[in-house]
Amino acid sequence: MSIIGKIINIIKCKGIRYVLFRANYEIKRKSGLLKLSYPTRINLNKCITLNEWRKNTLSFFFDSREKLDFTKNPKYIISENAERILKGDICYFSKTWFNIGNDYDWVTNPENGYGYDSKKHWVEIEDLNLKNGDIKYVWEKSRFCFLYDIIRYDYHYDLDHSKYIFDSISDWIEKNPLNCGPNYKCSQEISIRILNWTFALYFYKNSSYLNEELFQKILKSIYGQVKHIEKNINFSRICVRNNHAITETLTLYLTSLLFPFLPGSIKRKNKGKKWFEQEIDFQIADDGTFIQDSMNYHRVLIQLLTWGIILADINGERFSKYVYEKALSSVNFLFQCQDEKNGWLPNYGANDGALFFPLNSNDYRDYRPQLDALHQLLTGCKLYTEDFEDKQWYLSCINRNHELSPVQKQYGILKFENSGYFLFREKETLSFIRCGSFNNSKYGRADCLHLDVWYKGENILFDGGSYKYNTELELIEYFNGSESHNTVMLGKYGHMKKGLRFMWHNPPIINQVKAEESKENYIFETTIQSFTYLDLKVLINRKIIKIKDAPYWIIEDSIINKPSEFELRQLWHTNNQNINIETNCSKRIVLGKVSDYYGTFIESSQVEVFTNSNYIITNIFIS
């Protein structure tokens, strides 16, 4: 494809505003003007002393560890994880432990040993170089999410590891000069770090290890990092426009709310609040679905809304009404898509292992603690019969009027048509169908017509997940493409053409969708135009019939205008030994892959129904 052709495709995907902004941004980057905008030194006169701050802190989830008073539960898993961290281990993406030692330099990838230059300006750092490995392995510890394991250990066991926490923060500041190295490459990473440092500052507010010199050092670093976010905010608001923009605008607001003595806080707070509200309104549909079409990133949004709503509320501020309404709609959407037995959701959409504020010991895939905390905040009612620790940290110091009604589990056909999600929910089964328009504001997957099936708490037909954002092309194409989804392909070709980074070209066009029920069945049917990048005018009709009150599904796929040289492939991913897949066509089983946690995958069974004709009917049932 010519350069002009690529530019036209990018304009189609992202819009002219994106292209103009990005072109200007790249000109500034290559000319050195962008680098000049981010100084490596910044002055901050002492604006408050440690004692003044201790006496006049703005309201947080809690005043300090001494004022927290919820039931302590010294479980073994809390001490086990914390002790590993204290010995130099870190759990990456809530799954894989690496021993990186207590003298870690903060810029080395523990997976492959590649070390970034911490003296190099962030503008000059490459973040998608296969030789360097996945930069998220460098960012992970610098998020400081690990400090919650230590904080919970100290609270539940009446211990004090504040020296370890403050030594870690101080060490990071010394080894990561302002605006230098990989840990300044992403403003969202900076935002997460600041919020987590803030949590630690409040919890260990009265620690003897927090002295005047260290306090001023931390404040100066926070100020420099906030200035970076503020300077680069339009990159997220124009070029990215997803959870990055929400995280960064909220951080501008919250840091200015909680540290009002930092220079420029009033203007930053007002801008951050206005932008945050705009992003919530733009990114969350009225039915609660999220622009990124990702369950994991939707949970990130849930946690950010919890922080924002509580901290605004207890400091006497309010967001626009729609922020609260869309927050509850978001809870409702995820709740309806959730397996009732274990709290997991379909591993749908981009999943980078993000869990910013891990305040419980539940599995990473269990969304109940975060959904319950926000639901109780908004409605005053529990969402589940179980109790989860998150709400104890968040809600212990807040009394508010609950203007919104609690959500209820719904059964039958559920339609979230803003983003194209359709559910058949029964007591023992959940059928999750994705058929929505494609929007390049989010991390997309070539996954139209994907069917996810749950039975008695087990994900018997699953999404392959994400694995990694920066890895071998073959793996990126597998996990991002149609191959790892329960959909149809033409030979080796998926629904869309992969573009640069997270871009996709030639998205499917949805002609019609209907979801209805009869006395015996639930029925979903759609017709889409797909594979247009192959210069084909192909129509796909998919009909899914779910037999009521039985683990039985019938899937009919037909292709209009299918060229004879293409094999029609219908894909099913499962590790369940009791699943039966019967079809009118040929069938083969090959090795597939599934990644439940970022950075890891295991082999799975990929059942392929195939034919040279244009029609497949498949019966799937559990024996």
Side-chain angles (χ1 to χ4, degrees), residues 215-460:
F215 179 67
Q216 296 301 329
K217 182 179 184 179
I218 294 172
L219 279 188
K220 184 177 179 181
S221 181
I222 288 175
Y223 177 61
Q225 293 181 72
V226 168
K227 292 287 288 181
H228 177 112
I229 299 168
E230 182 181 24
K231 183 71 179 177
N232 207 35
I233 193 65
N234 281 336
F235 186 86
S236 290
R237 295 186 67 235
I238 296 174
C239 288
V240 185
R241 209 80 199 269
N242 56 25
N243 76 95
H244 284 241
I246 291 176
T247 308
E248 293 164 33
T249 56
L250 180 63
T251 300
L252 290 179
Y253 169 67
L254 290 182
T255 52
S256 302
L257 179 72
L258 299 173
F259 304 107
F261 41 79
L262 292 177
S265 287
I266 295 176
K267 288 184 178 180
R268 252 192 321 275
K269 181 165 78 76
N270 292 336
K271 289 190 294 186
K273 184 178 182 182
K274 179 182 74 174
W275 291 334
F276 175 71
E277 290 178 328
Q278 289 174 349
E279 293 304 322
I280 293 297
D281 193 33
F282 174 76
Q283 296 191 37
I284 305 176
D286 290 338
D287 63 4
T289 52
F290 184 39
I291 195 171
Q292 283 190 266
D293 287 333
S294 158
M295 299 306 188
N296 179 59
Y297 285 139
H298 208 150
R299 177 172 58 179
V300 165
L301 171 66
I302 293 295
Q303 288 199 294
L304 293 169
L305 284 164
T306 304
W307 271 61
I309 290 172
I310 293 175
L311 294 177
D313 200 85
I314 61 180
N315 284 289
E317 299 207 359
R318 291 280 294 177
F319 293 112
S320 297
K321 183 181 179 182
Y322 59 77
V323 171
Y324 305 92
E325 293 172 344
K326 291 194 172 189
L328 187 61
S329 294
S330 287
V331 171
N332 179 65
F333 168 69
L334 293 174
F335 181 59
Q336 304 304 341
C337 294
Q338 186 175 47
D339 178 74
E340 294 186 62
K341 293 186 180 294
N342 57 24
W344 288 32
L345 278 90
N347 194 15
Y348 183 78
N351 185 349
D352 71 345
L355 187 59
F356 292 176
F357 319 116
L359 286 166
N360 60 79
S361 299
N362 292 54
D363 188 273
Y364 164 79
R365 290 286 306 275
D366 184 354
Y367 283 48
R368 289 175 298 176
Q370 297 81 27
L371 294 178
D372 188 58
L374 182 53
H375 185 264
Q376 290 203 50
L377 170 65
L378 295 170
T379 69
C381 299
K382 293 176 62 173
L383 194 55
Y384 310 93
T385 56
E386 299 92 335
D387 283 316
F388 302 102
E389 189 175 327
D390 296 53
K391 70 176 182 181
Q392 305 291 350
W393 291 94
Y394 288 137
L395 305 180
S396 59
C397 294
I398 185 170
N399 291 305
R400 69 191 307 268
N401 295 323
H402 301 104
E403 305 163 358
L404 300 173
S405 300
V407 304
Q408 303 291 332
K409 184 67 75 178
Q410 300 174 35
Y411 294 91
I413 297 177
L414 285 75
K415 304 176 185 180
F416 298 91
E417 297 180 85
N418 291 95
S419 292
Y421 296 101
F422 300 86
L423 308 177
F424 301 151
R425 175 175 279 285
E426 299 174 299
K427 286 294 183 181
E428 291 189 335
T429 68
L430 172 64
S431 308
F432 169 93
I433 305 162
R434 170 73 172 123
C435 183
S437 59
F438 186 83
N439 183 328
N440 263 287
S441 295
K442 57 206 173 190
Y443 297 140
R445 294 289 188 269
D447 51 14
C448 198
L449 306 182
H450 171 76
L451 170 64
D452 222 83
V453 171
W454 297 69
Y455 176 60
K456 291 185 176 181
E458 183 181 353
N459 194 184
I460 61 171

Side-chain angles (χ1 to χ4, degrees), residues 25 54 86 90 105 117-118 135 161 163 228 231-232 250 295 357 378 421 432 436 440-441 449 512 525 527 578-579 599:
Y25 194 87
R54 282 171 168 160
L86 293 168
I90 291 292
D105 62 8
D117 186 349
S118 61
I135 197 171
H161 291 95
K163 183 179 186 301
H228 177 112
K231 183 71 179 177
N232 207 35
L250 180 63
M295 299 306 188
F357 319 116
L378 295 170
Y421 296 101
F432 169 93
N440 263 287
S441 295
L449 306 182
Q512 60 180 3
E525 188 169 8
T527 302
N578 297 317
I579 193 169

